[in-house]
Amino acid sequence: MNERKKKKKMFFFGALVALLLLAAAFAPALTPYDPYEQDLSSALLPPSPSHLLGTDRYGRDMLSRVIMGSQTTVYAALLLVAAITVAGSMVGICCGYLGGRLDTVLMRISDIFLAFPGMVFAIAVASVMSGGIMNAVIALACISWPKYARIARSQVLSIKNMPYIAAARLSGLGTGRIIWRHIVPNIAGPVVVTAVLDIGTMIMEIAGLSFLGLGATPPTAEWGSMMSNGRSMLQTSPWVVLSPGCAIFLTVVIFNLAGDAVRDVLDPKK
């Protein structure tokens, strides 16, 4: 694939991601009904022109709740990815550039976190913190930052002895300015690609914790929680589960394809 096709692909999926983020940002204005208003007389209505995705057991419009749920799920995933990218990358940069005991201690701590099964550890942390969407984000952040620390550290180790870094030291630049002006820009590519590819994964993991009752709490519109609330009606009213399930599927596909496109453009080996 030539460079022009790669960039067109990246812009196309970037536009889809932008539309998704705008829809999530303006979700309250896009919902045809109040996503939290209950009407028991309209409970479990199948999809129809008046309720395109049907209603749930409380008579709430599923389309409205799916749209509102995008705000909770997508932005929670973005917050999580931003936090672990910044925190993990800074740990990796400091370890790779400074070395010594700091490197040894922090890398052994990251090894401890990597030794635990990810979701099992996240479930344990979220359980201790009594659930909630922010607690779910914190629980997943605890298990996800070591990957970025490892990536950033390996990249720093590969460039810290380059001639332009040595020239920066000889010119009198301090450690902070060398890291900010020379290290960060040169390791940003792999870190950004990993972060974009991770968004879809984090959406599924946040939805998974909510499905288990360890994330968003009712009546908050969140895709995983909505699937959990409707799982007992899968055979009688499948739209209650399929609507948020399809929303998760499409969103993860969009972010994964966008991540692949970004990787194709930023990967120097290709």
Side-chain angles (χ1 to χ4, degrees):
M1 186 184 296
N2 59 41
E3 290 300 320
R4 181 175 295 180
K5 289 183 178 179
K6 290 180 182 179
K7 290 181 179 179
K8 285 183 177 180
K9 179 182 176 183
M10 185 181 71
F11 288 138
F12 174 73
F13 288 111
L16 291 181
V17 169
L19 288 174
L20 179 61
L21 296 180
L22 286 174
F26 295 100
L30 297 176
T31 55
Y33 298 92
D34 184 344
Y36 299 109
E37 182 179 358
Q38 299 183 15
D39 181 9
L40 296 180
S41 63
S42 302
L44 298 178
L45 293 179
S48 64
S50 58
H51 297 282
L52 295 180
L53 297 180
T55 61
D56 64 7
R57 69 174 73 190
Y58 301 108
R60 297 174 296 195
D61 180 63
M62 286 301 299
L63 177 60
S64 299
R65 288 185 62 76
V66 167
I67 294 174
M68 184 60 69
S70 67
Q71 192 172 67
T72 305
T73 307
V74 173
Y75 280 105
L78 291 177
L79 173 63
L80 172 59
V81 171
I84 61 177
T85 300
V86 173
S89 296
M90 291 309 300
V91 170
I93 290 171
C94 292
C95 290
Y97 189 76
L98 300 177
R101 289 186 178 180
L102 178 68
D103 181 28
T104 301
V105 171
L106 291 179
M107 287 300 101
R108 296 298 77 75
I109 292 174
S110 72
D111 289 341
I112 293 173
F113 280 100
L114 290 171
F116 288 98
M119 276 302 292
V120 175
F121 186 72
I123 290 171
V125 173
S127 300
V128 171
M129 299 179 71
S130 302
I133 192 68
M134 286 307 301
N135 290 338
V137 169
I138 293 172
L140 290 171
C142 290
I143 64 166
S144 303
W145 68 268
K147 174 170 60 176
Y148 291 88
R150 289 287 182 179
I151 292 172
R153 179 178 179 271
S154 65
Q155 293 294 313
V156 171
L157 289 176
S158 67
I159 67 172
K160 65 180 290 186
N161 295 319
M162 290 289 185
Y164 65 89
I165 301 294
R169 293 196 196 99
L170 292 174
S171 68
L173 288 181
T175 299
R177 295 184 67 184
I178 290 175
I179 290 175
W180 183 251
R181 293 179 59 182
H182 298 287
I183 299 293
V184 172
N186 284 285
I187 70 168
V191 173
V192 169
V193 170
T194 303
V196 176
L197 288 170
D198 248 3
I199 295 174
T201 301
M202 295 307 166
I203 288 174
M204 290 191 294
E205 292 187 353
I206 289 173
L209 288 179
S210 295
F211 184 86
L212 296 173
L214 300 174
T217 55
T220 302
E222 196 279 333
W223 293 338
S225 177
M226 292 164 62
M227 292 184 68
S228 178
N229 292 334
R231 68 183 186 276
S232 61
M233 298 173 285
L234 183 58
Q235 293 183 340
T236 57
S237 305
W239 58 87
V240 179
V241 177
L242 294 179
S243 298
C246 290
I248 294 173
F249 171 77
L250 292 175
T251 303
V252 171
V253 167
I254 289 173
F255 276 109
N256 283 348
L257 292 176
D260 288 338
V262 172
R263 180 185 58 194
D264 291 339
V265 171
L266 297 182
D267 189 356
K269 294 181 181 179
K270 294 186 178 181

